[in-house]
Short mmCIF file of all heavy atoms in Angstrom, two decimals:
data_model
loop_
_atom_site.label_atom_id
_atom_site.label_comp_id
_atom_site.label_asym_id
_atom_site.label_seq_id
_atom_site.Cartn_x
_atom_site.Cartn_y
_atom_site.Cartn_z
N THR A 128 -188.18 139.16 -134.81
CA THR A 128 -189.29 139.91 -135.36
C THR A 128 -188.94 140.59 -136.66
O THR A 128 -189.75 140.49 -137.60
CB THR A 128 -189.74 140.96 -134.29
OG1 THR A 128 -189.99 140.31 -133.04
CG2 THR A 128 -191.06 141.62 -134.72
N ALA A 129 -187.77 141.20 -136.74
CA ALA A 129 -187.43 141.92 -137.97
C ALA A 129 -187.25 140.90 -139.11
O ALA A 129 -187.56 141.17 -140.25
CB ALA A 129 -186.16 142.72 -137.73
N THR A 130 -186.75 139.71 -138.76
CA THR A 130 -186.60 138.72 -139.86
C THR A 130 -187.95 138.34 -140.38
O THR A 130 -188.14 138.24 -141.59
CB THR A 130 -185.88 137.53 -139.23
OG1 THR A 130 -184.67 137.88 -138.57
CG2 THR A 130 -185.51 136.47 -140.32
N ARG A 131 -188.88 138.12 -139.47
CA ARG A 131 -190.24 137.71 -139.92
C ARG A 131 -190.85 138.89 -140.74
O ARG A 131 -191.51 138.66 -141.76
CB ARG A 131 -191.11 137.42 -138.73
CG ARG A 131 -190.88 136.07 -138.15
CD ARG A 131 -192.01 135.60 -137.21
NE ARG A 131 -192.12 136.45 -136.04
CZ ARG A 131 -191.41 136.27 -134.93
NH1 ARG A 131 -190.57 135.32 -134.82
NH2 ARG A 131 -191.53 137.16 -133.86
N VAL A 132 -190.69 140.12 -140.30
CA VAL A 132 -191.26 141.29 -140.94
C VAL A 132 -190.73 141.33 -142.35
O VAL A 132 -191.52 141.60 -143.32
CB VAL A 132 -190.89 142.58 -140.18
CG1 VAL A 132 -191.06 143.82 -141.05
CG2 VAL A 132 -191.84 142.69 -138.97
N GLY A 133 -189.44 141.11 -142.58
CA GLY A 133 -188.90 141.14 -143.94
C GLY A 133 -189.63 140.18 -144.80
O GLY A 133 -190.13 140.53 -145.91
N PHE A 134 -189.79 138.95 -144.32
CA PHE A 134 -190.48 137.91 -145.16
C PHE A 134 -191.97 138.37 -145.36
O PHE A 134 -192.56 138.15 -146.45
CB PHE A 134 -190.45 136.55 -144.50
CG PHE A 134 -189.02 135.95 -144.54
CD1 PHE A 134 -188.36 135.49 -143.42
CD2 PHE A 134 -188.29 135.93 -145.75
CE1 PHE A 134 -187.09 135.02 -143.47
CE2 PHE A 134 -187.02 135.43 -145.81
CZ PHE A 134 -186.43 134.95 -144.66
N LEU A 135 -192.61 138.87 -144.27
CA LEU A 135 -194.04 139.24 -144.44
C LEU A 135 -194.27 140.36 -145.49
O LEU A 135 -195.37 140.47 -146.04
CB LEU A 135 -194.53 139.72 -143.06
CG LEU A 135 -194.90 138.58 -142.06
CD1 LEU A 135 -195.08 139.26 -140.65
CD2 LEU A 135 -196.18 137.91 -142.47
N LEU A 136 -193.23 141.18 -145.67
CA LEU A 136 -193.38 142.26 -146.63
C LEU A 136 -193.54 141.80 -148.07
O LEU A 136 -194.18 142.44 -148.92
CB LEU A 136 -192.21 143.22 -146.52
CG LEU A 136 -192.21 144.16 -145.29
CD1 LEU A 136 -190.86 144.76 -145.09
CD2 LEU A 136 -193.29 145.20 -145.47
N VAL A 137 -193.01 140.63 -148.40
CA VAL A 137 -193.10 140.13 -149.78
C VAL A 137 -194.55 139.82 -150.19
O VAL A 137 -194.98 140.35 -151.23
CB VAL A 137 -192.12 138.90 -149.95
CG1 VAL A 137 -192.26 138.35 -151.39
CG2 VAL A 137 -190.71 139.29 -149.61
N PRO A 138 -195.33 139.04 -149.40
CA PRO A 138 -196.73 138.92 -149.81
C PRO A 138 -197.55 140.25 -149.76
O PRO A 138 -198.52 140.38 -150.51
CB PRO A 138 -197.32 137.87 -148.83
CG PRO A 138 -196.28 137.69 -147.80
CD PRO A 138 -194.95 138.14 -148.29
N VAL A 139 -197.11 141.17 -148.92
CA VAL A 139 -197.82 142.46 -148.95
C VAL A 139 -197.55 143.12 -150.32
O VAL A 139 -198.54 143.67 -150.89
CB VAL A 139 -197.31 143.44 -147.85
CG1 VAL A 139 -197.82 144.79 -147.98
CG2 VAL A 139 -197.55 142.82 -146.43
N ALA A 140 -196.33 142.99 -150.85
CA ALA A 140 -196.06 143.56 -152.16
C ALA A 140 -196.94 142.87 -153.14
O ALA A 140 -197.46 143.54 -154.13
CB ALA A 140 -194.59 143.40 -152.48
N ALA A 141 -197.08 141.58 -153.05
CA ALA A 141 -197.86 140.87 -154.06
C ALA A 141 -199.36 141.30 -154.00
O ALA A 141 -200.02 141.50 -155.05
CB ALA A 141 -197.76 139.37 -153.83
N ARG A 142 -199.86 141.50 -152.81
CA ARG A 142 -201.25 141.95 -152.64
C ARG A 142 -201.39 143.38 -153.27
O ARG A 142 -202.42 143.62 -153.94
CB ARG A 142 -201.64 141.96 -151.19
CG ARG A 142 -201.96 140.58 -150.63
CD ARG A 142 -202.11 140.55 -149.12
NE ARG A 142 -203.38 141.13 -148.65
CZ ARG A 142 -203.68 141.20 -147.38
NH1 ARG A 142 -202.94 140.80 -146.43
NH2 ARG A 142 -204.85 141.79 -147.02
N LEU A 143 -200.47 144.24 -153.00
CA LEU A 143 -200.54 145.58 -153.55
C LEU A 143 -200.52 145.56 -155.07
O LEU A 143 -201.30 146.30 -155.73
CB LEU A 143 -199.30 146.41 -153.10
CG LEU A 143 -199.49 147.18 -151.80
CD1 LEU A 143 -198.14 147.42 -151.22
CD2 LEU A 143 -200.17 148.48 -152.06
N LEU A 144 -199.67 144.72 -155.60
CA LEU A 144 -199.62 144.61 -157.10
C LEU A 144 -200.93 144.10 -157.68
O LEU A 144 -201.42 144.62 -158.65
CB LEU A 144 -198.47 143.69 -157.47
CG LEU A 144 -198.13 143.64 -158.98
CD1 LEU A 144 -197.53 144.98 -159.42
CD2 LEU A 144 -197.06 142.53 -159.25
N THR A 145 -201.54 143.08 -156.99
CA THR A 145 -202.75 142.50 -157.49
C THR A 145 -203.90 143.55 -157.47
O THR A 145 -204.60 143.72 -158.46
CB THR A 145 -203.13 141.28 -156.61
OG1 THR A 145 -202.00 140.46 -156.55
CG2 THR A 145 -204.37 140.58 -157.14
N VAL A 146 -204.05 144.20 -156.33
CA VAL A 146 -205.07 145.26 -156.21
C VAL A 146 -204.92 146.33 -157.25
O VAL A 146 -205.91 146.78 -157.91
CB VAL A 146 -205.10 145.79 -154.79
CG1 VAL A 146 -206.00 146.97 -154.65
CG2 VAL A 146 -205.43 144.72 -153.73
N SER A 147 -203.67 146.75 -157.43
CA SER A 147 -203.44 147.96 -158.27
C SER A 147 -203.62 147.59 -159.74
O SER A 147 -204.16 148.38 -160.55
CB SER A 147 -202.10 148.57 -158.11
OG SER A 147 -201.13 147.68 -158.29
N THR A 148 -203.30 146.37 -160.17
CA THR A 148 -203.51 146.05 -161.58
C THR A 148 -204.99 145.93 -161.84
O THR A 148 -205.38 146.21 -162.98
CB THR A 148 -202.77 144.73 -161.99
OG1 THR A 148 -203.05 143.72 -161.04
CG2 THR A 148 -201.24 144.96 -162.09
N ARG A 149 -205.76 145.45 -160.85
CA ARG A 149 -207.20 145.41 -161.03
C ARG A 149 -207.71 146.81 -161.22
O ARG A 149 -208.50 147.12 -162.08
CB ARG A 149 -207.84 144.77 -159.82
CG ARG A 149 -208.95 143.75 -160.12
CD ARG A 149 -209.41 143.04 -158.90
NE ARG A 149 -208.64 141.92 -158.43
CZ ARG A 149 -208.44 141.60 -157.16
NH1 ARG A 149 -208.86 142.37 -156.22
NH2 ARG A 149 -207.71 140.56 -156.88
N GLU A 150 -207.24 147.73 -160.37
CA GLU A 150 -207.69 149.16 -160.43
C GLU A 150 -207.31 149.77 -161.84
O GLU A 150 -207.98 150.59 -162.42
CB GLU A 150 -206.99 149.90 -159.37
CG GLU A 150 -207.72 151.21 -159.01
CD GLU A 150 -206.99 151.93 -157.86
OE1 GLU A 150 -206.45 151.23 -156.94
OE2 GLU A 150 -206.95 153.19 -157.86
N LEU A 151 -206.22 149.30 -162.39
CA LEU A 151 -205.75 149.82 -163.68
C LEU A 151 -206.45 149.11 -164.82
O LEU A 151 -206.27 149.48 -166.01
CB LEU A 151 -204.22 149.56 -163.82
CG LEU A 151 -203.30 150.50 -162.93
CD1 LEU A 151 -201.92 149.92 -162.87
CD2 LEU A 151 -203.29 151.88 -163.54
N GLY A 152 -207.32 148.15 -164.51
CA GLY A 152 -208.04 147.40 -165.57
C GLY A 152 -207.17 146.52 -166.41
O GLY A 152 -207.48 146.20 -167.58
N LEU A 153 -206.05 146.06 -165.85
CA LEU A 153 -205.14 145.17 -166.62
C LEU A 153 -205.57 143.71 -166.57
O LEU A 153 -206.22 143.32 -165.59
CB LEU A 153 -203.68 145.32 -166.08
CG LEU A 153 -203.13 146.77 -166.27
CD1 LEU A 153 -201.84 146.87 -165.46
CD2 LEU A 153 -202.86 147.05 -167.72
N SER A 154 -205.23 142.95 -167.52
CA SER A 154 -205.62 141.52 -167.58
C SER A 154 -204.81 140.69 -166.60
O SER A 154 -203.75 141.16 -166.16
CB SER A 154 -205.42 140.97 -168.97
OG SER A 154 -204.05 140.95 -169.26
N SER A 155 -205.31 139.47 -166.30
CA SER A 155 -204.53 138.66 -165.39
C SER A 155 -203.24 138.19 -166.04
O SER A 155 -202.27 138.00 -165.31
CB SER A 155 -205.42 137.41 -164.86
OG SER A 155 -205.89 136.82 -166.00
N SER A 156 -203.17 138.13 -167.36
CA SER A 156 -201.89 137.72 -167.92
C SER A 156 -200.92 138.83 -167.76
O SER A 156 -199.70 138.66 -167.56
CB SER A 156 -202.02 137.23 -169.39
OG SER A 156 -202.38 138.30 -170.18
N THR A 157 -201.36 140.13 -167.86
CA THR A 157 -200.42 141.25 -167.63
C THR A 157 -199.98 141.27 -166.17
O THR A 157 -198.77 141.43 -165.87
CB THR A 157 -201.04 142.60 -167.99
OG1 THR A 157 -201.48 142.48 -169.33
CG2 THR A 157 -200.14 143.81 -167.80
N LEU A 158 -200.92 140.98 -165.27
CA LEU A 158 -200.50 140.88 -163.85
C LEU A 158 -199.44 139.79 -163.68
O LEU A 158 -198.47 140.01 -162.94
CB LEU A 158 -201.70 140.55 -162.95
CG LEU A 158 -201.45 140.11 -161.53
CD1 LEU A 158 -200.72 141.11 -160.72
CD2 LEU A 158 -202.77 139.73 -160.81
N GLY A 159 -199.59 138.67 -164.30
CA GLY A 159 -198.66 137.55 -164.27
C GLY A 159 -197.27 137.99 -164.73
O GLY A 159 -196.22 137.73 -164.05
N ARG A 160 -197.25 138.74 -165.84
CA ARG A 160 -195.91 139.17 -166.38
C ARG A 160 -195.28 140.23 -165.41
O ARG A 160 -194.09 140.17 -165.18
CB ARG A 160 -196.12 139.78 -167.74
CG ARG A 160 -196.26 138.76 -168.86
CD ARG A 160 -196.03 139.38 -170.25
NE ARG A 160 -197.00 140.41 -170.58
CZ ARG A 160 -198.24 140.12 -171.07
NH1 ARG A 160 -198.65 138.91 -171.26
NH2 ARG A 160 -199.09 141.12 -171.31
N MET A 161 -196.14 141.05 -164.81
CA MET A 161 -195.59 142.04 -163.93
C MET A 161 -195.11 141.41 -162.64
O MET A 161 -194.00 141.75 -162.13
CB MET A 161 -196.66 143.14 -163.60
CG MET A 161 -196.97 143.98 -164.76
SD MET A 161 -198.45 145.09 -164.53
CE MET A 161 -197.80 146.32 -163.35
N ALA A 162 -195.83 140.45 -162.12
CA ALA A 162 -195.45 139.75 -160.91
C ALA A 162 -194.08 139.03 -161.17
O ALA A 162 -193.19 139.00 -160.28
CB ALA A 162 -196.50 138.78 -160.42
N SER A 163 -194.06 138.37 -162.29
CA SER A 163 -192.87 137.62 -162.60
C SER A 163 -191.63 138.55 -162.69
O SER A 163 -190.56 138.27 -162.19
CB SER A 163 -193.12 136.85 -163.96
OG SER A 163 -191.96 136.45 -164.46
N GLU A 164 -191.85 139.71 -163.35
CA GLU A 164 -190.74 140.68 -163.47
C GLU A 164 -190.26 141.17 -162.07
O GLU A 164 -189.10 141.22 -161.75
CB GLU A 164 -191.28 141.90 -164.24
CG GLU A 164 -190.22 142.92 -164.60
CD GLU A 164 -189.20 142.46 -165.60
OE1 GLU A 164 -189.53 141.69 -166.48
OE2 GLU A 164 -188.07 142.95 -165.54
N LEU A 165 -191.24 141.51 -161.22
CA LEU A 165 -190.95 142.05 -159.91
C LEU A 165 -190.24 141.03 -159.04
O LEU A 165 -189.17 141.26 -158.42
CB LEU A 165 -192.20 142.58 -159.23
CG LEU A 165 -192.05 143.13 -157.78
CD1 LEU A 165 -191.03 144.30 -157.78
CD2 LEU A 165 -193.41 143.62 -157.30
N PHE A 166 -190.79 139.80 -158.97
CA PHE A 166 -190.29 138.81 -157.97
C PHE A 166 -189.02 138.13 -158.51
O PHE A 166 -188.23 137.65 -157.71
CB PHE A 166 -191.43 137.87 -157.52
CG PHE A 166 -192.45 138.67 -156.73
CD1 PHE A 166 -193.70 138.91 -157.26
CD2 PHE A 166 -192.17 139.29 -155.55
CE1 PHE A 166 -194.64 139.65 -156.63
CE2 PHE A 166 -193.02 140.04 -154.87
CZ PHE A 166 -194.33 140.24 -155.33
N GLN A 167 -188.92 138.05 -159.81
CA GLN A 167 -187.64 137.59 -160.34
C GLN A 167 -186.49 138.55 -160.08
O GLN A 167 -185.44 138.17 -159.60
CB GLN A 167 -187.76 137.33 -161.88
CG GLN A 167 -187.12 136.00 -162.30
CD GLN A 167 -187.50 135.70 -163.71
OE1 GLN A 167 -188.65 135.85 -164.12
NE2 GLN A 167 -186.52 135.33 -164.54
N ALA A 168 -186.79 139.84 -160.23
CA ALA A 168 -185.76 140.86 -159.89
C ALA A 168 -185.44 140.85 -158.43
O ALA A 168 -184.28 141.15 -158.03
CB ALA A 168 -186.30 142.21 -160.29
#
Side-chain angles (χ1 to χ4, degrees):
T128 306
T130 307
R131 283 194 295 276
V132 160
F134 290 128
L135 281 167
L136 284 164
V137 180
V139 172
R142 283 171 74 179
L143 269 158
L144 188 66
T145 308
V146 171
S147 59
T148 50
R149 223 176 277 142
E150 200 178 325
L151 288 163
L153 296 169
S154 66
S155 51
S156 68
T157 303
L158 166 61
R160 281 196 298 277
M161 290 170 74
S163 164
E164 187 69 33
L165 178 58
F166 295 109
Q167 223 168 315

